[in-house]
Amino acid sequence: MINFDALFKISYGLYVVCSGNKEHGNGFICNTVMQVTADPVQLAVCCNKNNYTAEFIAHSGVLSISVLPENVSSELIGTFGYQSGRDKDKLQGFDVSYGIDNVPVLLSETVATIEGKVKQTIDVGTHLIYICEIIEATLLSNSNPITYDYYRKIKKGVSPKNAPTYVDETKQHTDETTSEKYRCLICGYIYDNAENDTPFEQLPEDWECPVCRAAKAMFEKM
Amino acid sequence: MINFDALFKISYGLYVVCSGNKEHGNGFICNTVMQVTADPVQLAVCCNKNNYTAEFIAHSGVLSISVLPENVSSELIGTFGYQSGRDKDKLQGFDVSYGIDNVPVLLSETVATIEGKVKQTIDVGTHLIYICEIIEATLLSNSNPITYDYYRKIKKGVSPKNAPTYVDETKQHTDETTSEKYRCLICGYIYDNAENDTPFEQLPEDWECPVCRAAKAMFEKM
């Protein structure tokens, strides 16, 4: 039997992975990045096959990774984690440079940037794993990188549906609680009255989900 | 150019990965574990080709992962991270259960255990990546899992030579410091006089490296 709480004990960071070029590019929030060899330096990056960024990676064979800090803004998470580059230019309004083969590299709020060339693409079902040889790695700040655990516990974030670590919480058995909670139907963010000064019902009507900026009406009582 | 300090901003946990059966088994310290699909639940685990455990995984096709806690003992790290199962039975003296196909599962000091069957083995050069379908995942404790960052910063640990994240620090450019430091020639642990009440020179002669238990004589001044 798989207890998903056990899987949540696996540690991850949080990254924006970008691909494309100066004319067209895209990026997505990714928690699945790890180094797999030291010589040469290679990283593995996991990406849902349906992600728009996967199309850019398949075309260009390059990607960049921006390590996010603990104090990452909800706006950045909302844009790169819960919106699609098919609907809007996600990179617009953010600070971006262009690296090897003109791959876009997100600089806004970024702790470190890494650029690599895809050497292998492995099909693992719903997702692809890219094995990338790293060409550039730059430290931009000494801020603490955000861990996925911190994102879940402190920032109350959840995995988007395309993430490898996505859990359908409606199928999960959870303990009874007495406090009132409201869940965003778009991104899954939970507003817990017990943890906020203002009860959900009393939030103004133009209040937005702090993660994906969905309207208050997009929340349902749990 | 690759700045290794940038790569250190990638977040990892710390695990003992075991394979084998009730008669013969082995385990090693691993920081490279990540979930790659949610349906079915699959994890990627990276392992040096020379690791003794790799032979057991190739033979049995199963492995277990034990998530280590922040307060993991130096004895456990020393045994599984800096000794070889070719020289000694690493599992002896630790609490172990046997899971699917009798794979050994380390229980001592463990936060959560995960058991999986290898579905793909990917050759990435010095290392192999196992894509495992997870059959069992069990939560044993609510302790915080140790992150690799915590291991490096708080516990002063370094990567063994077989790790994907190994850095040859003798090749690294580092800032000049005035405090005296001594490095363990076996595991790389650094004893910094500035961070300890007792200067290294005044430690008793039977003092041992807190990570790999090497003798005091195995330290060199940096």
Side-chain angles (χ1 to χ4, degrees), chain A residues 1 12 35 42 120 124 136, chain B residues 12 35 42 123-124 136 164:
Chain A
M1 203 199 81
Y12 303 90
Q35 190 171 342
Q42 291 185 118
Q120 285 189 63
V124 291
E136 294 284 341
Chain B
Y12 303 90
Q35 190 172 344
Q42 291 185 121
D123 189 330
V124 291
E136 293 284 338

Side-chain angles (χ1 to χ4, degrees), chain A residues 27-29 74-85 88-92 94 211-213:
Chain A
F28 72 103
I29 295 275
S74 299
E75 186 183 354
L76 190 148
I77 295 280
T79 299
F80 288 97
Y82 294 99
Q83 299 190 359
S84 173
K88 68 170 278 185
D89 180 357
K90 289 189 190 181
L91 296 169
Q92 183 140 38
F94 291 97
V211 174
C212 73
R213 309 179 94 176

Side-chain angles (χ1 to χ4, degrees), chain A residues 115-129:
Chain A
E115 299 164 40
K117 297 196 176 200
V118 178
K119 295 294 175 181
Q120 285 189 63
T121 301
I122 298 137
D123 189 330
V124 291
T126 51
H127 288 68
L128 298 171
I129 300 175

Side-chain angles (χ1 to χ4, degrees), chain A residues 37-82:
Chain A
T37 60
D39 185 20
V41 176
Q42 291 185 118
L43 302 190
V45 178
C46 187
C47 174
N48 192 291
K49 287 178 178 175
N50 295 330
N51 275 6
Y52 189 43
T53 308
E55 297 178 20
F56 289 99
I57 297 172
H59 186 71
S60 68
V62 293
L63 58 79
S64 73
I65 300 160
S66 296
V67 181
L68 299 178
E70 280 186 348
N71 62 350
V72 61
S73 70
S74 299
E75 186 183 354
L76 190 148
I77 295 280
T79 299
F80 288 97
Y82 294 99

Side-chain angles (χ1 to χ4, degrees), chain A residues 1-3 9-12 15 32 35-38 42 46 67 120 122-124 126-127 134 136-137 143 164, chain B residues 1-3 9-12 15 32 35-38 42 46 67 120 122-124 126-127 134 136-137 143 164:
Chain A
M1 203 199 81
I2 298 176
N3 178 344
K9 296 293 184 178
I10 300 173
S11 297
Y12 303 90
Y15 314 91
T32 43
Q35 190 171 342
V36 293
T37 60
Q42 291 185 118
C46 187
V67 181
Q120 285 189 63
I122 298 137
D123 189 330
V124 291
T126 51
H127 288 68
I134 302 312
E136 294 284 341
S143 301
Chain B
M1 204 201 81
I2 297 177
N3 178 344
K9 296 294 186 180
I10 300 173
S11 297
Y12 303 90
Y15 314 91
T32 42
Q35 190 172 344
V36 294
T37 60
Q42 291 185 121
C46 187
V67 181
Q120 284 189 63
I122 298 138
D123 189 330
V124 291
T126 52
H127 288 67
I134 301 313
E136 293 284 338
S143 301

Side-chain angles (χ1 to χ4, degrees), chain B residues 64-119:
Chain B
S64 73
I65 300 159
S66 298
V67 181
L68 299 178
E70 279 186 350
N71 63 349
V72 61
S73 69
S74 299
E75 187 183 352
L76 190 149
I77 296 280
T79 299
F80 288 98
Y82 293 99
Q83 300 190 358
S84 171
R86 294 185 180 94
D87 305 325
K88 68 169 279 186
D89 180 357
K90 288 190 191 179
L91 295 169
Q92 184 140 37
F94 290 97
D95 191 11
V96 174
S97 69
Y98 295 90
I100 52 164
D101 297 348
N102 287 321
V103 67
V105 183
L106 179 75
L107 301 179
S108 299
E109 306 186 31
T110 291
V111 176
T113 63
I114 300 164
E115 299 162 42
K117 297 196 175 201
V118 177
K119 295 294 175 182

Side-chain angles (χ1 to χ4, degrees), chain A residues 192-207:
Chain A
D192 186 347
N193 279 355
E195 295 177 358
N196 287 280
D197 293 337
T198 309
F200 182 83
E201 305 73 23
Q202 291 172 27
L203 290 169
E205 284 314 305
D206 61 355
W207 180 87

